[in-house]
Structure formats: structure tokens, C-alpha cells
Amino acid sequence: MADPFSIIAGTVGLADVCMRFALFLRQAKDGFHKVDEDLEDLTKEVTTLLSASDLIKRSFEVHQAGITDINDQQIVSNHWQATQSTLAGCQEIIDRLKDLITKILGSGGSKHVKTEALRKYLRQQSKEDDFIKLRRKLNAHQIALQTSLAAVNIIYTRNSQSTSIESFSELSNKIQDLGADLQSAVNSLQASIELSAEKTVSSSYLNSPHQKVISKLLNALRSAQKIVPLASLNEHFYAPQTVSSIFTGRKDDLDTLRRCFQASTSPQEHQTQKRFVVYGLPGSGKTQFCCKFASDNKQSFWGVFWIDASTSEHAKQSFSTIARIGKVEPNERAAKSWLSSLGKERPWLLIIDNADEVSFPAEDYYPEGESGVILITTRNPILKVHGTIGPRYYQFGELEEEASVELLLKAADKPLPWPQSTLESAKDICKALGYLPLALMHAGKTILIRLCTLQNYLSFFEKNWTRIRKRRGSNDALSISDANAAIYSSYELIHNGLLSEGTQASKDALEILKILSFFHRQHIRVDIFLRAASNPRREFLEQRRREQEGEAASHRLKLNRTVAQTLRTIGLSIFTYLIGLGSRPALPAFLGDGLQSGPFDEVRLRQALKRLFQMSLIFANPDPNDDSYSMHPAVHLWARARPEMTIADQAIWCQVAATILSRAILLPPLDDEEEDEIFKRDLLPHIIHVQSNERMIRAKYLENQESNRRLWPPILQPRLDRDGAMQLVKFSIIYTQCGLFEEAEKLQLQVAEFAHKMLGMENTRTMDIMLLLSYTYWQLTKGDEAADLQERVLMACIEVRGPSDLKTLQIMNMFGTSRWQQGRIPEARRIHEAAVEGLKKILGDDHVDTLKAMSNLGRDIGKDFRFTEAIEIHSKVVPGLRSRLGNFHLETLVAMDNLAMAYFDRAAYGYGHPGDLDQAVKLEEEVFEQRKRKLGREHLYTLWSGLNLARIKGVRGEIDEALSVFLPGHAIARRNLGETHFGVLLGKLHYGRILIYAKRYPEAEDILKEVIESHDGPRKGHPDRLLAIFSLINCRNLQGKEAETVVLLKELMESTKALFGENHAWVKYLLDPKNLWKEPEAYQRHGSIDI
């Protein structure tokens, strides 16, 4: 933001100059018999300028600290800087005016100079032009300050939203009026600047003071123009479609719906969420109607959101998108919880679109509470019972004849007035198309591009209609209803028109149309194609780099191989070569093979998309910053179900779509940018849709094969090859990132089985897929399966590559972490010690892989009560990762978290140094804030650091602060992970410990008992459970219930000795009676605190 002192000083300085100059002008006029009109106007302008300066000063003093949104802060900061510049310009112009008039009046003063004499003097001395120019500049600066004031009013109104007693609707109307005032002021300023600029056309003015003044005014104009979009309280507008520019009809329905939502409700009605259902035929304009309502009433809602309810998978992805907008964990529960939390202060509209399934679980899609407005579109009339306001529902079918004719002729761009013959032809077409808006729009488009005329359209329509009806009874891919067939006839005319063009753009457009029909129909990002074109070469170059780096290692491996291993390697090389022959994936011509060194022809791609857009077969995203397209459900289905699209054709184009999606995905570490993470989440609905179509096509083939109606073409016979395996791996990564771990596991198991069978366990690619599968196992809380799989991979790698190989050491580090998570701490320490020693020899002490392994080793050593040694290790790792990766890279934050908890542990077990807990809380607070900013409040890593911060604050005696951090995060973890997830149980354990510090013993006892009972099966001997037993014994002892601790104490003794050994420091600490009876006050004494 501009320097506050500069703004205040500027207004004060301008006020002082204005007052002195106004006094000077009054004295000057006193000497004239006739008051000069120019000087009178100038006096008024200076007075107005004085008022504007005072208002700006007061506004800045009151509102300079009121902006909270980071994007708004930058815009407002730039605006104040421009205002500061304008203030300085005003002061300079007034000083120059005063100097000019002083020269004109001369030393005798104004009282001895007549008005006409003054004008004559000005003309003679060529000062008249200077006077006019300065007046024009002063006027422009005055308008600039008035524009600044209008902008300030908008900023103030936005900031007052949370404290104002006015309703959201009242504030919204107010800020819209202010926006109109600001736009008017911006237009006036622009006109004033253009008038001044006419004087600076010649090059001699380019560096003149006059041109610099114009430059400052332009800066003021641009800053005000950026404030204009802030004249809206609508923060989010996420709608299914752009409203058609020729939207026609339904005006009464829109007005009625608006009145229903705006009407005040009785206390009884207030208990019900406002919902309204729009049901009817496909193509009847249900979604367009809802989008029109949302667009017209945008200012009544803080946010507009939508759910694609066509399938449960698509609905989940839509909720994930809403969750990302709300900066919560991307899942359905988090999204609904966020919407519920917005309250009446931030009203929202949710459009649940295409809820067509017979058993659609509507209640599952509603956020809890009374807030919000929900619109539902469906073909299913049963859902009309969910309406709660006004008439509760609309049934959409055909438009009225008059509205239908108007829509058709608008779409065909027929000029007014429409002759009777045109109206009659239009009526016949509307009747044939069943008065369905979607069919009418595409019919009009067909006429507009002159594929046919208004008069002969019906003959073309009937030909296509007859052909479609014949195909419906044949062996085609998908069945077609009567309603859809009528609509498809219009699409066929457009398709045939593109086909007849014969241009490169039209051919590419038809290929893209087939591809898009196998993607999900919404939010098809253009960069899916751009990445699919460029990624293969990136992957090729990365692979070649890795191969060159590994040549020396490969030579060493050859020396250690047995004859059998060598023969197997040769055989695998031959097999890999043969399996790759003839397996080049089918790709459209515009995409190429992706390995070309030259740039991809993006213009060609966009020309094809433009043709589809012009034909209304796709439509652009409403957000101009979102470079994506969508399709209407009917168009989407038609493109797959055309009469000529056989099952074989479907299989080919479905595979093309899958290949493009696969090529758009990069494997780590090439995909570590934040934009890559967002992109991969956006790919999920497309992957789900293409795989769903693959299953349907395969099922249709089996059905046909059983009835001997059709032979399966060779290209469709299912087999998993190299490209297919890579595709499944990439798709599994998308599923993993989006939290669909079960789906990821299914795909990875297929690839793992294929790789193990064809390549063997000793192959690097097999090892990589096994390790990826082990990560998925961990996410599914299958910790033992994950560790067992990693151990198998490690043993295979040691056998083939040796214990000192880089790959072996990297797997060893990963396996050690799994052992640590299993609670097998001594084993984890031994593994990490070997990994660190080996990595230091190969990569050096400061390599990222070495530093990460050292960080893991530091955690292990801390559990051996070697606290100072652990801190020393972590203190080397943190600056090392900061230097290599950056201060707040995710890996750096992991190391900082480990260092914070190492300081905490040293204090916790009675070995604390002065300041340990201060260091711990400082580091953990920074980690917590950075993870919230980078990952979101609901990410697992953020929740983890929040738990650690609460632990530190709890033992410092800051109970309220500890609970304020812990409880919201724990609620999120329970919601997202489930009650039995090991992370949730860990949180409950430490929640119990914090309650002990607060002397809330009964509550702590109940929670700790629940933790102990939940750790069953393999986790019965886990350190987390042992710590819960220790804490429960301590809690009961402090309540005088030592008789109830006998069995627990016996189990604690046996389990800790079995895990760590008889003389381990951890065992001695847990079994020490002093610790089992420790009072809460002792936790803070001398920094000696229990964890």
C-alpha cells in the first residue's frame, strides 16, 4: 500500500495550497469592476478540489487497514499510489497557476489592472494558452480525484459487509449503484485524458512535462478501472453453461422464481432450506433456465456453484471443485460442510444439474442447515417432491409456439421484421421439432450457416430422421429414444455440413468431436491437448538423461549378473522390442506423435475448436480466465451414438481419448508444480468417463460375441502392453491424488501383475510400480501389506543391484520409514543408518536424497533418547534443504517439523535446554501457517502440524490455545479419514493428554480407553497404543484409581520390553513410578514435560 504518511501529507499539502490560492484569487478579483468569469470558475474548481482532498484524507485514515483479501489488497494499494500521484500533480498545477497569474498581474497587484487590460496582457505575452492548458490539467486532476473518491466508496462498502446491519441484498444493490457512479467517473476521466492527449500528437511532446502529466492521469484511470469489478459482492460464479445470447421465453417463470427466493418466510417455513425443482424432457432448456436465473440474480448471491449429478463419480468431482474454491479438503463432505458454514451473511446458490437417475439420492447432496438456495434439474418427475418454496417445481417440455418461432429465427439470424411466409415456415419447423429449445437452436444454426434454407429445412430433417429410425433397430452401439432422435436429426445436418467443407479445420473438428464425446462433457481444458502434444518429448528427454546417468551403474551390474540373469535380460529386451512393434497408439492427425522437436501447431487446434464452437456443438466456459469448453448432454451422447459410430469405431476413439489423457499426465518428478496438481484433479472426471465407456464397450462386445452377431476386431481384443500399463499407472496417480485409493489400487495391481510376470521382480519398472502400490496401501491404512511389499522390492534390488546401489539405498530409506510408521523403531533406525551412510558416499552430504534420509534417521535416534544428537542432525538438514529446495518447500517443512518435535522431545523427557520449547513452538507455528497456505487447512500434513502445535502449547499450559488449534483440525480429520484411521487415533491420544494437563480427568480417561480399544490386531503392540496405556495409568492414578491400573501396567511392561528390549531408555521412562504418578503442574517445571 502507498506510504500512509505520503497520502496524509499530500492531502494536507494540497489543502494548504488550495486555501492560499483561493484567498489570492479573491484578492485579485477585488480590484476589478467586473468579476472575470474565468477567475470565478477557477475559484470554484479550487474549492471543489479542496473538498475532494479533505474527503480523501478522511477516507484513507478510516479505511486503510480494512482490506483482507490478498488480491484486493494489491488492487487497492495500487489505487492509493495512483491517488498519491494525483494529489502531487494537483499541488504542482496550482503552484504553477499562482505563479502565472502573479506574473500577469505584475508588481502593482490586481487592484490596478482592469479585466480587459489583463486579457490584452495575456494575449500579448502569449500566456493565454498556458492559462488554458493549466486549467485543463487542473480539471482533469479534479476528475481523477473524484474518481478516486468513487472508488474509495466501493472499497468501504465491501469492507463493511461483515459489520453492516443491512442485508446482503441491500448491500449488493448499494454497491451496484456505487459501481455505476464509478464507471461514470471513469468515463469522464477517460474523455478528459483523450482531450488533453490531442495536444501531444507530435513527437516533440513525448518527453514533455505535459506528456508526463497525461501518463500519471492514465495511471489513475487504470487503477480506478481495476476497482470497477470490485463493485460486486458476488465472489464466486461457477455455473454449468454460459447463457445463450438468444435465450428466449420463460420470463414469467424467471420472475416467479426470483420472487419466491426473495420473499420473506414465516418462522415455520424458515426451518426449511429453499429448494426448487425443474424437471422435463431432454433439450427443453432446464440447465439454460437455471444458468439464466443465476446470471440475472448474480448480485443476490455471494457464491454460485453447481454439481454435475449425472453420475455419483461426477458429483464427487464437482464437490471437490467447490471444496478447492473453499480451500478445504477436496471431497464431498468437506465441500458440503464449507457451504453450510457460510451462513446468511454469504448467501449461495447451488445448481444440482442432470439428476436423472431413478434412484437419485437427492438428500445426500444437500448441505446441512437452512442457509443457501438449491435448484435441481432432472428428467425424473419423482424429484419434484424436493421443492420447498412457491410452486415447488416447474415442468419443462415444449416452448409456446410464439417463443419457439422467435428462438428459431433469432438462431438463424433472420432480420426483422419477419414476413408472414417466414413465420409460417418457422412454425412448421417448430412443430416438427416438438418445440424443444435445444433442437430449435441447432436448426437455426444449420440455416444460419446455409446448409439448408428455412424453406427446405424439413426435407433435410426428414431424411436424417428416417435414417436414424432405421439405425435404431439395427446393431448400433447405443439405443436412441424418440426425443433424442428428433434432436439428433438437427445435429446430423451440422455434421454433414462440416464433412462437406473438406477443410483441414473441419476435418480436425470432426475428429475432436469424437474425442470429446469420450471425455466428460464439462470443463474440457484446452491444455489437455497442449500437454498431450508436448509431454512425450519431455518424457523422452528425461528418460534419455536417466539412461546416460545410469550407464556406469549398468556396467557394474553386468559384471555381477549370473548367466541366468543375463539370458533373462536379453529375453526381456527382445520381448520389449517385439511388444512395441505395431503398437503405436492411434492419434488424430493434428496431434502428431508428440516427439517432434518443433513447436506444436496450437493455431490448428484452436481453429478446429472454433469451428465446433461456431456450430454450437461446444460452448466456452463462462469464466474468461478458464480456457476450457463443455458440451450439452444431448450433443455429448449423439457424438458417440451416431448411426455410423459402430462399436469398433467407439472402441478406437475411446482408446484415442484415453491415450490423449495419458499423454497429458507427467510422472514425478516432472509434475511438481502447483499448476500440475490442479490440472491432475481436473482430469479425474475425464478419466472416470473414458474408463466407464471402455467397460460398456467391452460388455457390448461380449454380448454380441455370445449371440454371434458380430466378430470382435483384432484391435479390440483386450491385452495389456507397455503403453497400456503406463496408461493405467498414470490414471492411478490421478485417482491417488484425488483420494480414490481403492480405484488406484485396482489399476496398480493390474500393472504390478503384468510387470512381475513379463519383466520379473528385478526389473526397475517392476520395482517402481510395486513401490507405488505400497504407497497406496499406506493410504488405505494397509500398513503391514505396504511394508511387506517394500521389503520384497528391497530384497530383489539388493540381489540384482547390490546393497550399495543408489536405487537400493533409496528403497531402503523408504522401507525404513514404513518400519517407523509401524512402530518398529529399532529396526527403522538400523535401516536408516545404512541408507544414510550409503547415500553420503554416492551423492554427498548435501544432496536432497541424503538430507531426507538424515531427517528420517534423526526421528529414529530421538526415540532412543539421544535427543541432542537428533537435534544436531535436524539442524543440518533444515538449512541444507532450504538451500537446495527453498525456505518453504514441502520437504523443507517436513524437516522443520521434525526439528521442532526434536526440541519438544528433549524438553519432554527431562533433558531440556533453556529455550527448547520456545524453539519448538516458533518452528511449528511457521510450519503450520505455511502448510495452511500451500496445502489448505484440511490437508493431512496441515492437520499433522496442527496436532504437533497443540501438543506443544498444551504442555506449556496454554490449554485454550491448544484446543483452539486441535479441535477444528480433529473434526476435519474424523470427517475425512474416519474414526479408526491411525492419524485420527493419534489425535485422540494427544487430545486425552491435553485434557490431563487441564485436569479434566474423567474426559481424558474415556478418550484414552477408546484409543486403546481401537488399536486392535497388528497395531496392538504399536507405540501409540503403549503411550495411550501409559497415559491412562497416569490419569487413573491422579484420580485415586490405582487399583484399576494393575492389568494395564502388566501389559505396558511386557509390550514395551518386547518392542524395545529390557534396558531401552523408553522402557525405563514409561515404567518409572514417578512418571506414572506425575501431576499436571510438573509438566511445565523446568521444561521437563511428558508427551
Side-chain angles (χ1 to χ4, degrees), residues 396-450:
F396 279 11
E398 55 190 45
L399 278 177
E400 295 180 355
E401 184 180 66
E402 183 179 350
S404 298
V405 169
E406 181 183 353
L407 177 60
L408 173 65
L409 296 179
K410 281 182 178 179
D413 199 26
K414 293 297 180 182
L416 290 168
W418 296 319
Q420 189 61 35
S421 59
T422 295
L423 292 173
E424 292 300 323
S425 296
K427 289 178 182 178
D428 292 339
I429 294 173
C430 292
K431 183 177 180 180
L433 295 179
Y435 304 100
L436 288 174
L438 184 64
L440 294 171
M441 287 184 62
H442 284 91
K445 182 67 67 174
T446 305
I447 296 166
L448 175 64
I449 61 178
R450 300 185 178 181

Side-chain angles (χ1 to χ4, degrees), residues 44-302:
K44 292 178 180 178
E45 289 173 8
V46 173
T47 304
T48 302
L49 202 60
L50 179 62
S51 299
S53 173
D54 181 59
L55 285 172
I56 287 174
K57 176 176 178 291
R58 283 187 285 161
S59 297
F60 185 81
E61 289 174 336
V62 173
H63 309 305
Q64 63 170 314
I67 306 298
T68 56
D69 185 271
I70 189 167
N71 296 319
D72 290 359
Q73 284 177 354
Q74 186 59 50
I75 293 173
V76 173
S77 174
N78 292 339
H79 176 70
W80 282 120
Q81 290 174 4
T83 302
Q84 178 185 338
S85 178
T86 304
L87 288 167
C90 288
Q91 186 171 342
E92 180 184 350
I93 292 169
I94 290 177
D95 284 338
R96 290 174 62 188
L97 274 169
K98 184 178 179 182
D99 290 343
L100 178 64
I101 295 176
T102 299
K103 291 178 182 178
I104 292 171
L105 294 177
S107 58
S110 61
K111 295 182 180 181
H112 306 289
V113 183
K114 300 297 182 183
T115 302
E116 190 60 32
L118 175 59
R119 288 180 173 171
K120 179 179 179 181
Y121 183 81
L122 289 172
R123 288 195 299 271
Q124 289 176 346
Q125 299 298 321
S126 300
K127 298 297 183 182
E128 181 101 24
D129 287 344
D130 292 343
F131 186 72
I132 291 172
K133 288 178 183 177
L134 288 173
R135 285 282 306 280
R136 187 180 295 122
K137 290 179 183 178
L138 186 63
N139 179 258
H141 279 71
Q142 178 186 329
I143 295 173
L145 288 181
Q146 295 291 349
T147 304
S148 177
L149 277 174
V152 167
N153 282 334
I154 289 176
I155 297 166
Y156 165 70
T157 304
R158 280 174 61 89
N159 291 343
S160 68
Q161 182 181 347
S162 59
T163 57
S164 175
I165 61 173
E166 295 179 280
S167 68
F168 184 92
S169 179
E170 291 171 334
L171 274 176
S172 183
N173 292 333
K174 181 177 180 180
I175 203 168
Q176 284 184 78
D177 293 340
L178 292 174
D181 293 342
L182 176 58
Q183 187 60 61
S184 176
V186 165
N187 294 339
S188 297
L189 179 58
Q190 189 165 8
S192 178
I193 293 173
E194 290 172 354
L195 180 64
S196 298
E198 291 176 1
K199 305 298 181 180
T200 61
V201 175
S202 64
S203 59
S204 61
Y205 282 95
L206 290 178
N207 296 314
S208 66
H210 188 72
Q211 182 61 25
K212 293 178 180 178
V213 169
I214 290 179
S215 178
K216 290 181 179 180
L217 290 174
L218 283 172
N219 186 36
L221 175 65
R222 285 190 289 266
S223 72
Q225 287 172 332
K226 290 181 179 179
I227 300 289
V228 172
L230 300 183
S232 170
L233 295 183
N234 177 263
E235 294 287 340
H236 304 287
F237 192 80
Y238 176 50
Q241 301 174 5
T242 304
V243 179
S244 171
S245 59
I246 57 171
F247 183 93
T248 304
R250 315 284 192 199
K251 184 177 184 304
D252 291 342
D253 292 335
L254 287 166
D255 291 341
T256 299
L257 187 59
R258 181 175 59 254
R259 287 194 298 270
C260 289
F261 282 139
Q262 291 178 348
S264 58
T265 55
S266 65
Q268 183 177 3
E269 292 175 324
H270 189 67
Q271 303 302 317
T272 305
Q273 194 174 53
K274 293 182 177 181
R275 307 186 196 114
F276 200 89
V277 179
V278 182
Y279 77 92
L281 294 172
S284 57
K286 302 183 294 295
T287 302
Q288 269 286 297
F289 174 83
C290 292
C291 290
K292 175 68 172 173
F293 176 83
S295 179
D296 289 350
N297 298 278
K298 178 180 178 180
Q299 295 299 335
S300 297
F301 300 104
W302 177 82

Side-chain angles (χ1 to χ4, degrees), residues 821-948:
Q821 290 173 322
Q822 287 180 295
R824 296 164 66 169
I825 308 299
E827 186 178 355
R829 175 178 47 76
R830 291 192 296 270
I831 294 170
H832 281 138
E833 284 174 343
V836 169
E837 182 181 357
L839 289 170
K840 283 183 176 181
K841 290 179 180 178
I842 296 177
L843 301 176
D845 291 7
D846 60 347
H847 191 276
V848 170
D849 285 351
T850 306
L851 292 169
K852 287 161 62 176
M854 289 170 60
S855 186
N856 291 332
L857 176 59
R859 286 192 308 186
D860 305 333
I861 288 176
K863 296 304 179 185
D864 283 344
F865 275 52
R866 293 151 59 186
F867 302 117
T868 300
E869 185 179 347
I871 290 172
E872 289 173 353
I873 292 174
H874 291 308
S875 296
K876 293 177 182 177
V877 172
V878 170
L881 289 178
R882 280 176 172 168
S883 174
R884 301 299 295 269
L885 300 177
N887 287 336
F888 303 118
H889 188 278
L890 293 180
E891 292 293 345
T892 306
L893 295 177
V894 170
M896 292 169 62
D897 182 52
N898 288 339
L899 177 58
M901 298 314 291
Y903 280 121
F904 175 76
D905 284 345
R906 186 164 68 177
Y909 290 102
Y911 297 86
H913 294 189
D916 274 357
L917 290 178
D918 293 336
Q919 289 277 14
V921 77
K922 180 181 178 182
L923 281 165
E924 201 61 58
E925 283 179 339
E926 188 170 21
V927 172
F928 185 47
E929 291 303 318
Q930 288 298 325
R931 282 178 172 169
K932 281 196 295 185
R933 186 180 67 82
K934 295 172 77 71
L935 301 174
R937 180 64 180 89
E938 301 200 358
H939 193 277
L940 189 59
Y941 278 7
T942 309
L943 299 177
W944 180 271
S945 52
L947 170 61
N948 285 342

